[in-house]
């Protein structure tokens, strides 16, 4: 049994019959999160990934390319290694099953089982699936198709060597029953148990005749046969410990803490691998976790459909850490998920750009403007409900998220961390530091608010590091503290009030710029928005650059000097009024338009989409004070530009020559709700 302070995490070793895809990235990113998390917690981590380079599929892929199998493997292997670098994967070892050392270890284990009379030769006739590289019995096959991959099978009769897997059936059933965490999630555990309790476990063919398959590891006791690819591949989890690392690594790290696999290879790991280990008198891994598959826009991924997601392309287009975040946030780990770029962009804009990124930007801007760019001293405790909510959110970002990560509930862990993002935003909204900065008597409170917001970001950097390491490092640098994530983070550093006061902040470019997409994909660019009229009051915005008329034009000067009898506004019919679409919108971010005193550029959510609106309210409102407010907009105006910035929508406000107030909603109303 390995040292309790070690953590050995593995991915499957991936077939080199084709280039890497999203499935490879998904498993490996999840493994990387676990590796980084446990390193940060002080455990001795070993993270192994690699390539399965033998078997019929590889031999066929090489033949199709017109090259020998080893050349084929040597050509594809760097594509996986480069992808892991691109995705910032922190694996400690990378194994290839064509390594000479691996071959020798596989042969040693085969000889050991043969010497124990656990391997025997027999003839066999059955249905063979080339894709899965396995035989099926008559009752397994329906309509001539493999029960797993649904591809055609072929009838084969041949002599082979068999491993006495069937004799371990009862022992494996009892092991699974007595070790609840051995197969996860629970639904997969139930599947394996159900199979073992209702079906007779046969013996496993562990060889292929060289006359049919030459690309494999030769059996040590019969030169006319090569090893079945799964017996070869599964041994990698042990062989890598022997020759990739210093001596005694098997004693140090085995059994593995977690084997991460896709649900399609659960049987080979939970049954084949487990019985092989039992036969070799070796302990079984602590956990085999089988995650789900990704579809794309509701369809199964396949080269014939042309919808295979290229992780290189996603990382280049949207950024490595946005891609990593999306894969583990969008779908509970273990379940199937559907990938779409629309959903990816929505996550980037809502969670990353308008959430974490905006919190960092507004906090550092406030510190620059109100505290000379230096983190203030920690003032005395403030006893309010909003303070308590922030404190609790910070503590739970670790206590609850830790528990979820350890359970591999990555989506839930990220949701818990983002509760701190939301709590920090609400904290700023409640205390309005932009207003406190105008009153010298409020300096103590201002300092406290700025400090706690900055300290929230320090905690967030630590919490997100396993998922988004470079993002965490960027937050740390901008806070001016340069956290060292290469060493364990202490319990004390995961508590509040550990941010050194007097630290100079260094605001940089946005962590996650909002993504402007083409119409029809995710329309988040805005719609013309000079300030509108509410209840007959009027105001003026900067002049639009399109031919669209303003609905809030200034009254002529002469009219302002006329008698106090108000002019009767032109009347409209109810049908005319019903053409106007008024909707609620939540302000996600706000910033000043350069060279304009009045214009603010808002990013707002109206539920189904995000929009950009330019409004002439800058003399009345500081941008930071608007974030989180629910306002009312005219949602069906034609596009126009103000000072060269496209705008889509119109903000309702009250006022005459100057804005006196926005039309806002006090209650919690979903963005996009119709106003009537």
């Amino acid at each position: 049994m390995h040292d309790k302070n070690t953590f050995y995490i593995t991915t499957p070793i991936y077939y080199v019959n084709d280039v890497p895809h999203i499935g490879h990235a998904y498993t490996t990113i999840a493994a990387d999160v676990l590796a980084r998390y446990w390193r940060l917690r002080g455990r001795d981590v070993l993270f192994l990934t690699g390539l399965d380079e033998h078997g019929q599929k590889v031999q066929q892929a090489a033949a199709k390319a017109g090259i020998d199998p080893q050349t084929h493997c040597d050509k594809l292997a760097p594509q996986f290694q480069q992808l892991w670098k691109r995705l910032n994967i922190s694996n400690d070892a990378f194994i290839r099953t064509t390594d000479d050392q691996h071959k020798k270890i596989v042969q040693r284990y085969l000889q050991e089982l043969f010497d124990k009379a656990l391997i025997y030769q027999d003839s066999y006739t059955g249905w063979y699936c080339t894709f899965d590289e396995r035989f099926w019995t008559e009752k397994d096959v329906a309509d001539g198709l493999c029960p797993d991959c649904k591809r055609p099978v072929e009838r084969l009769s041949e002599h082979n060597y068999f491993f006495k897997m069937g004799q371990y059936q009862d022992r494996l059933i009892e092991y699974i029953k007595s070790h609840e965490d051995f197969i996860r999630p629970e639904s997969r555990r139930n599947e394996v148990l159900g199979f073992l309790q209702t079906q007779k476990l046969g013996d496993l063919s562990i060889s292929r005749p060289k006359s049919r398959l030459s690309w494999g590891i030769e059996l040590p006791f019969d030169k006319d046969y090569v090893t079945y690819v799964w017996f070869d591949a599964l041994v990698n989890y042990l062989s890598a410990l022997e020759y990739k690392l210093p001596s005694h690594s098997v004693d140090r790290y085995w059994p593995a803490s977690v084997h991460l696999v896709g649900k399609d290879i659960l049987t080979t790991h939970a049954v084949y691998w487990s019985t092989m280990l039992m036969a070799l008198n070796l302990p079984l891994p602590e956990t085999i976790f089988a995650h789900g598959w990704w579809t794309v826009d509701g369809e199964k991924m396949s080269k014939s459909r042309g919808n295979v997601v290229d992780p290189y392309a996603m990382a280049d287009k949207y950024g490595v850490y946005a891609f990593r975040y999306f894969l583990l946030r969008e779908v509970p780990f273990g379940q199937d998920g559907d990938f779409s770029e629309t959903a990816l962009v929505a996550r980037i804009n809502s969670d990353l750009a308008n959430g974490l990124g905006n919190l960092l930007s507004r906090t550092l801007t406030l510190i620059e403007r109100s505290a000379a760019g230096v983190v203030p001293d920690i003032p005395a405790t403030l006893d309010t409900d909003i303070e308590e909510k922030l404190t609790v959110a910070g503590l739970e970002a670790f206590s609850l998220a830790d528990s979820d990560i350890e359970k591999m509930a990555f989506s839930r862990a990220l949701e818990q961390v983002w509760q701190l993002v939301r709590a920090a935003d609400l904290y700023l909204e409640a205390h309005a530091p932009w207003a406190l900065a105008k009153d010298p008597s409020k300096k103590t409170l201002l300092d406290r608010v700025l400090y706690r917001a900055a300290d929230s970001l320090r905690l967030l950097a630590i919490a997100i590091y396993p998922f988004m390491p470079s993002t965490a490092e960027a937050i740390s640098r901008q806070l001016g503290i340069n956290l060292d994530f290469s060493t364990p983070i202490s319990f004390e550093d995961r508590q509040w009030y550990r941010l050194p006061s007097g630290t100079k902040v260094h605001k940089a470019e946005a962590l996650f710029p909002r993504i402007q997409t083409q119409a029809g994909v995710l329309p988040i660019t805005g719609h013309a928005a000079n300030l509108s009229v509410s209840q007959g009051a009027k105001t003026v915005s900067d002049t639009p650059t399109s031919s669209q008329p303003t609905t809030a034009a200034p009254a002529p000067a002469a009219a302002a000097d006329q008698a106090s009898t108000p002019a009767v506004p032109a009347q409209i019919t109810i049908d005319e009024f019903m053409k106007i679409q008024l909707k609620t919108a939540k302000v996600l971010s706000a910033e000043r338009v350069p060279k304009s005193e009045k214009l603010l550029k808002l990013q707002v959510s109206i539920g189904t989409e995000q929009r950009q609106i330019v409004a002439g309210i800058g003399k009345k409102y500081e941008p930071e004070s608007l974030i989180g407010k629910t306002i009312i907009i005219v949602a069906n105006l034609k596009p126009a530009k103000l000072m060269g910035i496209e705008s889509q929508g119109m903000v309702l406000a009250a006022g005459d020559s100057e804005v006196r107030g926005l039309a806002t909603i006090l209650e919690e109303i979903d963005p996009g709700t119709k106003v009537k």
Side-chain angles (χ1 to χ4, degrees):
M1 184 64 70
H2 63 58
D3 186 328
K4 288 184 179 180
N5 194 47
T6 61
F7 184 81
Y8 180 23
I9 174 76
T10 74
T11 71
I13 50 173
Y14 304 116
Y15 272 128
V16 291
N17 59 319
D18 209 343
V19 295
H21 55 66
I22 188 176
H24 303 124
Y26 186 44
T27 316
T28 312
I29 289 168
D32 186 63
V33 170
L34 289 171
R36 290 180 182 277
Y37 170 80
W38 283 115
R39 289 190 195 108
L40 217 56
R41 299 301 306 274
R43 288 179 74 170
D44 175 8
V45 172
L46 174 61
F47 173 13
L48 173 69
T49 188
L51 298 176
D52 180 0
E53 301 188 354
H54 289 127
Q56 195 160 352
K57 282 187 285 188
V58 175
Q59 181 174 288
Q60 290 176 341
K64 186 177 180 180
I67 54 179
D68 68 88
Q70 188 64 61
T71 302
H72 169 81
C73 294
D74 292 343
K75 182 179 178 182
L76 282 179
Q79 296 194 39
F80 285 85
Q81 293 170 304
Q82 290 162 11
L83 178 60
W84 303 153
K85 290 180 181 178
R86 181 77 179 91
L87 296 179
N88 204 354
I89 303 300
S90 62
N91 55 294
D92 300 289
F94 186 91
I95 188 171
R96 297 179 62 183
T97 57
T98 51
D99 292 345
D100 287 338
Q101 300 98 315
H102 170 77
K103 294 177 186 177
K104 290 175 182 176
I105 294 168
V106 170
Q107 289 175 326
R108 190 183 77 214
Y109 283 134
L110 283 165
Q111 189 67 53
E112 181 180 338
L113 294 179
F114 186 77
D115 293 343
K116 289 181 175 181
L118 291 173
I119 291 176
Y120 64 94
Q121 190 176 30
D122 200 357
S123 60
Y124 184 81
T125 299
W127 294 104
Y128 187 72
C129 173
T130 299
F131 183 82
D132 288 329
E133 302 192 35
R134 65 174 292 184
F135 281 98
W136 295 99
T137 63
E138 197 74 41
K139 69 176 185 294
D140 293 324
V141 174
D143 301 322
L145 300 177
C146 170
D148 265 4
C149 69
K150 307 304 179 186
R151 291 173 172 81
V153 293
E154 59 179 319
R155 191 82 170 173
L156 288 180
S157 296
E158 60 188 25
H159 284 282
N160 266 316
Y161 285 89
F162 291 82
F163 163 56
K164 293 182 179 180
M165 184 169 68
Q167 73 181 48
Y168 296 95
Q169 183 165 7
D170 291 340
R171 181 176 166 186
L172 182 56
I173 289 171
E174 289 307 311
Y175 188 89
I176 296 171
K177 284 182 175 180
S178 61
H179 295 77
E180 290 187 359
D181 288 338
F182 176 55
I183 300 172
R184 293 172 55 194
E186 186 178 4
S187 59
R188 305 295 176 206
R189 177 176 180 267
N190 293 339
E191 286 176 15
V192 175
L193 262 182
F195 164 74
L196 289 171
Q197 291 174 327
T198 59
Q199 307 289 325
K200 179 175 174 54
L201 187 62
D203 290 344
L204 179 66
S205 173
I206 54 92
S207 69
R208 299 292 183 263
K210 282 186 178 179
S211 59
R212 181 162 65 83
L213 174 65
S214 60
W215 186 240
I217 298 175
E218 191 176 84
L219 293 185
F221 42 80
D222 194 328
K223 307 302 183 185
D224 293 331
Y225 290 85
V226 296
T227 309
Y228 172 45
V229 67
W230 275 110
F231 195 102
D232 163 11
L234 291 164
V235 171
N236 95 91
Y237 302 130
L238 281 169
S239 66
L241 297 179
E242 291 196 35
Y243 76 92
K244 288 287 185 181
L245 299 157
S247 60
H248 307 298
S249 291
V250 175
D251 294 337
R252 182 177 177 183
Y253 291 107
W254 192 260
S257 305
V258 179
H259 287 326
L260 280 186
V261 300
K263 66 180 183 179
D264 54 323
I265 55 173
L266 175 59
T267 299
T268 53
H269 283 77
V271 180
Y272 298 5
W273 182 226
S274 298
T275 55
M276 287 162 58
L277 289 168
M278 287 176 174
L280 292 165
N281 294 319
L282 291 168
L284 274 57
E286 293 176 8
T287 296
I288 300 169
F289 195 105
H291 63 72
W293 289 341
W294 283 94
T295 55
V296 178
D297 295 321
E299 293 187 342
K300 186 177 179 180
M301 274 191 292
S302 71
K303 290 181 71 174
S304 61
R305 287 190 176 96
N307 65 348
V308 176
V309 178
D310 178 1
Y312 275 111
M314 291 300 104
D316 290 344
K317 187 173 182 180
Y318 297 109
V320 168
Y321 302 103
F323 182 56
R324 285 175 59 123
Y325 175 84
F326 174 80
L327 289 183
L328 296 182
R329 176 65 182 90
E330 187 71 2
V331 178
F333 197 64
Q335 297 181 19
D336 291 342
D338 188 60
F339 183 91
S340 75
E341 288 194 58
T342 300
L344 172 57
V345 169
R347 281 284 179 200
I348 293 171
N349 284 334
S350 61
D351 295 12
L352 301 179
N354 298 328
L356 178 63
N358 187 60
L359 176 64
L360 175 67
S361 178
R362 71 192 301 210
T363 299
L364 298 189
T365 297
L366 286 164
I367 291 173
E368 286 178 342
R369 291 178 180 174
S370 306
V374 174
V375 176
D377 290 333
I378 311 171
T381 301
L382 181 65
D383 187 16
T384 64
D385 288 343
I386 199 72
E387 280 271 329
E388 179 67 16
K389 288 179 180 177
L390 179 64
T391 299
V392 170
L395 298 176
E396 290 184 345
F398 291 109
S399 62
L400 298 183
D402 283 356
S403 175
D404 288 332
I405 292 173
E406 290 164 23
K407 294 173 184 174
M408 285 165 274
F410 301 118
S411 179
R412 199 166 61 201
L414 286 168
E415 169 60 22
Q416 191 57 56
V417 172
W418 253 250
Q419 294 290 351
L420 177 55
V421 176
R422 287 186 278 273
D425 269 329
L426 289 172
Y427 183 78
L428 288 173
E429 287 300 313
H431 291 297
W434 47 89
L436 296 176
K438 298 176 182 178
D439 185 348
S441 69
K442 303 288 187 181
K443 185 179 185 307
T444 299
L445 177 56
L446 172 65
D447 286 350
R448 178 169 188 83
V449 171
L450 296 180
Y451 179 88
R452 294 222 63 185
D455 203 25
S456 299
L457 288 162
R458 180 188 63 85
L459 292 178
L460 283 166
I462 297 171
I464 69 168
Y465 172 77
F467 299 91
M468 311 160 77
S470 290
T471 303
E473 291 163 354
I475 293 173
S476 171
R477 285 194 301 272
Q478 291 192 43
L479 285 173
I481 54 177
N482 293 314
L483 289 169
D484 182 6
F485 292 107
S486 65
T487 59
I489 298 291
S490 69
F491 174 81
E492 290 75 17
D493 282 337
R494 288 156 50 100
Q495 305 299 307
W496 285 104
Y497 308 112
R498 301 288 294 178
L499 176 65
S501 57
T503 301
K504 180 74 174 176
V505 301
H506 304 282
K507 186 180 177 185
E509 293 182 359
L511 290 178
F512 299 98
R514 278 176 291 276
I515 297 173
Q516 309 291 326
T517 63
Q518 294 178 354
V521 178
L522 191 73
I524 59 171
T525 43
H527 177 95
N530 54 309
L531 201 62
S532 75
V533 177
S534 175
Q535 297 292 331
K538 63 182 186 307
T539 186
V540 186
S541 74
D542 290 35
T543 305
T545 57
S546 79
S547 59
Q548 178 188 331
T550 63
T551 59
D561 296 330
Q562 289 177 354
S564 60
T565 303
V568 178
Q571 295 183 334
I572 61 173
T573 66
I574 187 64
D575 290 337
E576 290 173 318
F577 176 76
M578 292 302 291
K579 294 178 181 178
I580 302 172
Q581 291 182 10
L582 300 179
K583 291 186 177 182
T584 59
K586 185 171 184 178
V587 180
L588 303 173
S589 68
E591 58 185 274
R592 293 194 175 277
V593 173
K595 301 180 181 180
S596 173
E597 291 184 354
K598 292 193 298 182
L599 292 184
L600 297 183
K601 183 171 68 173
L602 312 178
Q603 298 290 340
V604 303
S605 169
I606 59 171
T608 58
E609 62 181 275
Q610 294 178 24
R611 290 191 179 183
Q612 178 172 280
I613 294 179
V614 181
I617 55 176
K619 286 188 175 181
K620 174 67 176 177
Y621 295 100
E622 290 293 330
E624 296 89 350
S625 68
L626 298 173
I627 297 173
K629 288 187 180 298
T630 300
I631 61 177
I632 300 173
I633 68 167
V634 181
N636 62 331
L637 294 180
K638 293 180 180 179
K641 289 186 177 181
L642 287 87
M643 294 191 69
I645 300 175
E646 188 175 27
S647 183
Q648 193 173 30
M650 177 183 287
V651 174
L652 297 190
D656 198 346
S657 59
E658 297 292 338
V659 176
R660 298 176 61 186
L662 280 178
T664 58
I665 302 291
L666 297 177
E667 291 79 5
E668 283 292 327
I669 300 293
D670 291 336
T673 301
K674 183 178 179 180
V675 177
K676 58 183 181 179

